[in-house]
Amino acid sequence: MKSATRVALALDQSVYPVQGPPGAGKTFTGARMICALVRAGKRVGITANSHKVIRNLFDEVVEAAGEEGLRIRSVQKVDEKHQEDDLDSLKFVKKNEHALDALRTNCSVGGGTSYFWARPDARLSVDVLFIDEAAQMALANVLAVAQAAQSVVLLGDPRQLEQPIQGSHPDGVGVSALDHVLGPHATIPADRGLFLAETWRLHPLICAFNSELFYEGRLKSRPGLERQEIRIKSGLNGSGLRYLPIQHDGNQSSSPEEADAIRDLIADVLGSGTTWVDRKGSESPISLDHILIIAPYNAQVFELQERLPGARIGTVDKFQGQEAPIVIYSMATSSHADAPRGMEFLYSANRLNVAVSRAKCLCIVVASPRLFEADCRTPRQMQLANAFCRYAEIASVL
């Protein structure tokens, strides 16, 4: 944290990337950097691909400022759908000129999507521009908004979900700014930026898998996370990775067999007095709200919702940024040949990283055994299947 705020104050017409793996405190760190800049008399901008992400960072800035006894006035440019009543330290405006006027007068932090910061009249309106979820913003868009500031901070993690791409573009155009910075590396080298190397979420047994497969072994668990565990008289007892094999054939984007198995599994968990222990050692009962159920396809989400009304169920995209003591990942497809969007989507390392890393204590992959017997014919296919095969090697079979 100290190094991040020190770098923030030393920025001088520069770009500084901050890579935050799951639970490593990317938003926490970014907010403290912003507070340090405001305290030093700087004006700061916040941007991202969505108003929701921008607001999330604003909320953390408000909390950080409160902890530090710092008074910050902020403004966010929103559209009609995101308009709401002003808060004590954050007001919302619908017109670009009103947001820019606020920045020029009584607001030290301003937020808006790339359309706002790329405007000619926004040029050099702030000293430092923070781009949140920068792994989901293409380099071209980053260049467009960079004109609004003297320096730019890129917050994100290219090893998690990438930006959604629409249309057809030349190779490389859709690559994010953070991916360009990383180049062939999975993590930011020390001479190029800051890698947040400690997770506040993952039990060491889960962290070891994600660190090995996605972060060059650099990600570690914070002390105390080894206390996190599930307490139940079954194979789910403890922490780490589990694999529940379910035989089925011909399934593409949905599997009733897996949905039935997950329904029964959750019924056993909720009906047997299961508890979980957090990183402080506090024990509490497991409820349905403590379980995330993830699937690659919407069709499987619907199968699961029919059997588990009220449960937290969604695709990987929905749950990025969220967490729970128990995560269940239903693969749905019977074999790699059945995958409706091909191996590239089903075996995506980024999506597996996000799915597994939502779990504090326990991750359970529910899948057909044939998914771990992929018929790889190219080096790329071998690379895609590697992470899943490694999961199967490490995980305990239920």
Side-chain angles (χ1 to χ4, degrees):
M1 178 56 62
K2 291 182 179 179
S3 61
T5 53
R6 184 172 62 250
V7 167
L9 296 173
L11 290 172
D12 182 17
Q13 297 185 349
S14 51
V15 176
Y16 191 68
V18 177
Q19 183 181 4
K26 168 183 65 67
T27 304
F28 180 95
T29 300
R32 272 72 189 170
M33 294 172 74
I34 290 172
C35 287
L37 286 163
V38 172
R39 193 181 292 278
K42 304 293 184 180
R43 294 199 181 276
V44 181
I46 298 173
T47 191
N49 281 337
S50 74
H51 296 285
K52 181 179 179 181
V53 172
I54 295 168
R55 175 62 190 278
N56 183 56
L57 182 51
F58 262 125
D59 288 343
E60 190 66 34
V61 170
V62 170
E63 182 174 339
E67 293 172 356
E68 299 177 17
L70 177 65
R71 175 68 172 170
I72 293 183
R73 292 185 180 274
S74 308
V75 59
Q76 182 177 355
K77 162 63 178 65
V78 296
D79 56 21
E80 292 283 350
K81 186 170 63 174
H82 294 87
Q83 180 69 43
E84 57 181 290
D85 294 336
D86 292 345
L87 305 177
D88 289 341
S89 56
L90 175 61
K91 67 178 181 179
F92 304 91
V93 298
K94 292 184 287 185
K95 293 187 176 181
N96 295 308
E97 53 268 28
H98 291 171
L100 289 171
D101 286 344
L103 272 173
R104 296 186 186 105
T105 54
N106 62 346
C107 287
S108 51
V109 184
T113 61
S114 56
Y115 298 101
F116 172 72
W117 296 107
R119 291 169 54 90
D121 53 353
R123 178 174 170 77
L124 298 180
S125 56
V126 294
D127 297 294
V128 182
L129 179 63
F130 281 72
I131 301 177
D132 202 0
E133 300 295 0
Q136 298 184 26
M137 186 176 290
L139 177 61
N141 291 346
V142 170
L143 292 175
V145 302
Q147 58 102 37
Q150 296 281 355
S151 298
V152 173
V153 175
L154 303 172
L155 299 173
D157 181 15
R159 302 285 76 84
Q160 297 188 61
L161 294 185
E162 302 169 344
Q163 66 166 342
I165 297 176
Q166 297 180 348
S168 177
H169 309 285
D171 288 344
V173 171
V175 175
S176 76
L178 271 177
D179 277 303
H180 278 281
V181 173
L182 263 67
H185 304 281
T187 59
I188 291 180
D191 61 347
R192 295 190 190 180
L194 176 64
F195 177 75
L196 302 178
E198 284 189 319
T199 175
W200 294 69
R201 176 190 303 154
L202 307 178
H203 185 279
L205 292 175
I206 300 174
C207 182
F209 170 76
N210 290 79
S211 183
E212 174 192 341
L213 270 295
F214 312 117
Y215 297 106
E216 300 174 329
R218 294 177 64 186
L219 183 64
K220 308 297 180 186
S221 291
R222 289 277 299 179
L225 293 178
E226 71 280 356
R227 297 191 188 101
Q228 296 183 156
E229 65 173 348
I230 302 299
R231 291 182 175 173
I232 182 176
K233 294 180 179 179
S234 75
L236 297 179
N237 189 66
S239 306
L241 309 180
R242 303 290 189 273
Y243 165 46
L244 177 59
I246 302 294
Q247 297 283 351
H248 49 80
D249 296 301
N251 291 333
Q252 295 186 325
S253 58
S254 66
S255 169
E257 298 88 346
E258 289 185 20
D260 288 342
I262 291 169
R263 176 199 58 204
D264 296 343
L265 180 69
I266 291 177
D268 288 342
V269 169
L270 299 181
S272 57
T274 306
T275 61
W276 79 286
V277 180
D278 66 18
R279 60 190 175 93
K280 296 179 180 179
S282 298
E283 186 175 1
S284 56
I286 283 283
S287 69
L288 190 58
D289 196 49
H290 290 113
I291 303 171
L292 282 185
I293 309 169
I294 306 174
Y297 310 106
N298 284 319
Q300 183 65 358
V301 170
F302 299 147
E303 288 279 353
L304 291 159
Q305 288 173 337
E306 287 180 359
R307 292 161 176 79
L308 294 160
R312 299 169 66 188
I313 304 171
T315 60
V316 178
D317 310 75
K318 177 180 178 179
F319 288 132
Q320 179 162 270
Q322 298 190 41
E323 61 185 24
I326 300 175
V327 166
I328 301 173
Y329 191 28
S330 175
M331 299 298 294
T333 306
S334 294
S335 72
H336 78 281
D338 294 308
R341 297 171 65 176
M343 285 187 67
E344 194 75 32
F345 180 84
L346 182 65
Y347 289 85
S348 165
N350 287 37
R351 302 181 77 80
L352 179 63
N353 181 29
V354 172
V356 174
S357 64
R358 301 309 92 202
K360 294 180 178 181
C361 305
L362 201 63
C363 177
I364 308 161
V365 168
V366 181
S368 163
R370 284 189 294 158
L371 287 183
F372 300 94
E373 302 168 359
D375 183 15
C376 299
R377 300 184 180 184
T378 67
R380 175 59 179 162
Q381 289 178 340
M382 294 175 64
Q383 183 183 42
L384 287 169
N386 178 61
F388 280 89
C389 292
R390 182 60 176 151
Y391 185 100
E393 288 178 353
I394 297 174
S396 299
V397 179
L398 297 175

